[in-house]
Amino acid sequence: MNKFKKVPVVPKELLVPFIAATSIFALWGFANDLTNPMVAAFKKVMILSNKEAYNVQFAFYFGYGVMAIPAALFIRRFSYKSGILVGLALYALGAVLFYPAALEGSYTYFLVSLFVITCGLGFLETTSNPLILSMGDPSTATQRLNLAQSFNPIGSLTGMMIAKFVVLDRILSSDYENSAEIIALGKEKAAEIKVHDLDVISTPYIAVGLFVALVFVIIWKTNIPKMAMGKHLTIKESLQRIFKSKTYVFGVIAQTFYVGAQIMCWTAIFQLVEYINIDKENPIDGTFWNIGAMILFVTTRFIGTALMRKINPAKMLTVFSIAAALLCLGVILTTGITSLLCLVLVSVFMSIMFPTIYGLALKDMGEEAKLASSGLIMAIVGGAFLPKIQAAIMDFGDTINGEEVFGDVITGSIAEIHFSFILPMLCLLIVGLYGVYAYKVTKKTA
């Protein structure tokens, strides 16, 4: 008789609620990667510097930092299902707010709309991740979360395609080399172009807002059981146990730097392509390279999830982090298509990082996983602050009439756009250090 009984990743009795919860992962993937290309779109339409355009990412990811703890306290008081419904309601509201933002033509209003969307996403992620972890045996929790998170990039790919074909290909601002050409058309024509482009940008958000409202109704009618995860502790008792775990505390730090690295690498694909296209007769399309990166990300996450049946997740996290950091070094030291290929390949090794850090940090947390998860979702705020620093490095060069001129001011031979990847490289090395620490801990407790 086999001594080891094969443990199912998802028990049969929980398959339907697992599928319902997993479908939510695609929704926030859609929002994330519809928004990343909007940095380039708003930069063109609103005539912004890189630093100003990256306020899109700041507003979008700052919502996670604001809403994660309230979301955790809410689901402790009520239920996972209630948390999902509140998250969907905020998501839909923020998306529909793009309509008045487009009418006003205000960049600030768009940023507020993005913030409301991510307040909703903060609820969804704080709720869905620990719910998935609790749906089965603790020994398969990290693998189960990687499986659920594998559907997140499917939404991301859809968001990228919408951004490309519904937004970026249709905005009139992209027909001009720079803002000076648009201004030269006269105030009336420039205003007409701006109104048209803001309407194009807002359309997919309004549509997804209506779709999310429909999903709200479906989840409302779906039976998602209350998952019991042990003794119900007071908030004080939970916090004492949570912060006693160094694996958790270090996991929050690692997650902050990982999310920052992910957002920097994906958003900067467009900035790197823009730089490569300078004086290029046949310019390349950044969206297709971004889609390629996401396809690699999705594929490797499924493969990585399967490999975790045989390879320690912490060990895999360490190896993948080192490989990703080396590729960032490749972006710094090479130029042209070679540099862009290095950047796209980073996605291969980032694929398993978020859910793996999440699973390792919450291992054996039990009931307090509800509150502890909020710290890991708050860590997404790294996507708000770190890209702003990278953008400042990109804009370090001289400016002419408000337009950035990429130069070699910082390093002499390496342009700022390339040198800026030292930041995601350092972030990924920090993730690798966490992998080493978590591996040592899991070996001790095995």
Side-chain angles (χ1 to χ4, degrees):
M1 183 176 176
N2 193 343
K3 183 180 177 181
F4 300 101
K5 184 180 178 181
K6 189 174 181 180
V7 179
V9 177
V10 183
K12 289 182 179 180
E13 66 272 17
L14 295 175
L15 190 57
V16 172
F18 176 81
I19 292 171
T22 298
S23 68
I24 305 298
F25 285 69
L27 283 178
W28 72 68
F30 178 88
N32 289 337
D33 287 278
L34 173 62
T35 301
N36 286 337
M38 292 305 107
V39 173
F42 277 114
K43 182 183 174 184
K44 278 275 189 181
V45 176
M46 309 297 282
I47 310 176
L48 307 169
S49 67
N50 281 310
K51 190 174 180 180
E52 290 169 330
Y54 268 67
N55 281 331
V56 167
Q57 299 292 40
F58 182 84
F60 190 80
Y61 290 98
F62 189 65
Y64 284 102
V66 170
M67 198 52 67
I69 290 178
L73 295 175
F74 182 87
I75 61 175
R76 273 178 66 93
R77 174 66 178 82
F78 298 99
S79 66
Y80 284 124
K81 182 175 180 178
S82 298
I84 290 173
L85 291 175
V86 171
L88 290 171
L90 287 170
Y91 186 164
L93 174 62
V96 172
L97 283 176
F98 263 67
Y99 178 71
L103 289 179
E104 288 294 324
S106 169
Y107 186 43
T108 301
Y109 285 7
F110 281 109
L111 297 179
V112 170
S113 301
L114 289 168
F115 174 76
V116 174
I117 288 174
T118 44
C119 284
L121 298 185
F123 253 92
L124 292 178
E125 294 212 40
T126 302
T127 303
S128 300
N129 287 297
L131 173 60
I132 292 295
L133 288 173
S134 68
M135 286 184 166
D137 192 277
S139 66
T140 58
T142 299
Q143 187 183 3
R144 186 163 49 253
L145 185 57
N146 267 279
L147 177 60
Q149 286 272 1
S150 296
F151 292 90
N152 172 271
I154 294 174
S156 296
L157 276 171
T158 305
M160 289 178 184
M161 298 294 283
I162 296 294
K164 164 63 178 171
F165 297 109
V166 177
V167 179
L168 298 179
D169 280 358
R170 293 180 58 218
I171 58 173
L172 299 178
S173 301
S174 63
D175 295 336
Y176 301 90
E177 288 292 329
N178 52 55
S179 59
E181 290 187 11
I182 298 175
I183 293 171
L185 297 174
K187 288 186 178 180
E188 187 174 334
K189 182 64 177 177
E192 184 181 320
I193 291 173
K194 181 179 177 180
V195 168
H196 172 273
D197 288 354
L198 291 180
D199 182 58
V200 169
I201 289 172
S202 65
T203 298
Y205 284 94
I206 296 168
V208 78
L210 298 175
F211 178 75
V212 170
L214 175 62
V215 174
F216 176 95
V217 175
I218 294 171
I219 295 296
W220 182 32
K221 297 294 184 181
T222 301
N223 179 30
I224 297 179
K226 292 185 177 181
M227 305 304 298
M229 295 187 292
K231 179 185 173 183
H232 188 81
L233 305 175
T234 66
I235 292 176
K236 182 179 179 181
E237 289 171 332
S238 288
L239 289 174
Q240 286 174 341
R241 183 174 179 188
I242 287 168
F243 287 104
K244 188 178 179 181
S245 170
K246 291 182 180 179
T247 307
Y248 171 77
V249 174
F250 294 159
V252 172
I253 295 170
Q255 198 73 291
T256 302
F257 285 103
Y258 164 68
V259 175
Q262 176 188 290
I263 303 309
M264 285 187 281
C265 288
W266 284 352
T267 305
I269 286 177
F270 294 93
Q271 315 306 321
L272 184 58
V273 166
E274 181 183 349
Y275 177 67
I276 292 171
N277 282 339
I278 294 175
D279 299 326
K280 196 176 181 69
E281 291 185 6
N282 298 309
I284 56 179
D285 192 323
T287 304
F288 287 119
W289 286 88
N290 200 24
I291 290 171
M294 184 53 64
I295 290 172
L296 291 172
F297 186 85
V298 174
T299 305
T300 314
R301 179 170 280 180
F302 276 111
I303 294 171
T305 300
L307 289 175
M308 283 181 188
R309 298 287 284 185
K310 297 183 178 181
I311 302 174
N312 184 295
K315 189 174 184 179
M316 186 182 293
L317 178 66
T318 303
V319 174
F320 275 38
S321 299
I322 294 170
L326 289 173
L327 284 166
C328 284
L329 182 62
V331 179
I332 296 169
L333 299 178
T334 61
T335 59
I337 296 299
T338 303
S339 182
L340 187 55
L341 280 170
C342 287
L343 180 53
V344 168
L345 289 173
V346 172
S347 293
V348 170
F349 298 101
M350 291 196 301
S351 58
I352 56 99
M353 291 185 186
F354 185 92
T356 302
I357 295 170
Y358 202 103
L360 291 170
L362 292 185
K363 184 175 173 59
D364 300 325
M365 278 288 180
E367 173 67 20
E368 52 269 42
K370 290 180 179 179
L371 185 58
S373 66
S374 65
L376 289 159
I377 298 305
M378 278 187 69
I380 296 175
V381 80
F385 293 99
L386 290 167
K388 289 277 288 180
I389 300 173
Q390 186 187 30
I393 296 173
M394 292 180 191
D395 280 341
F396 191 80
D398 296 330
T399 60
I400 299 175
N401 296 326
E403 292 293 321
E404 73 271 22
V405 176
F406 293 101
D408 303 327
V409 178
I410 296 177
T411 60
S413 60
I414 301 175
E416 281 85 349
I417 181 66
H418 290 278
F419 186 75
S420 70
F421 282 91
I422 193 169
L423 191 56
M425 182 185 76
L426 293 173
C427 291
L428 290 164
L429 287 174
I430 291 171
V431 173
L433 289 174
Y434 176 69
V436 172
Y437 176 80
Y439 179 68
K440 290 180 179 179
V441 172
T442 56
K443 290 291 285 184
K444 283 182 181 179
T445 57

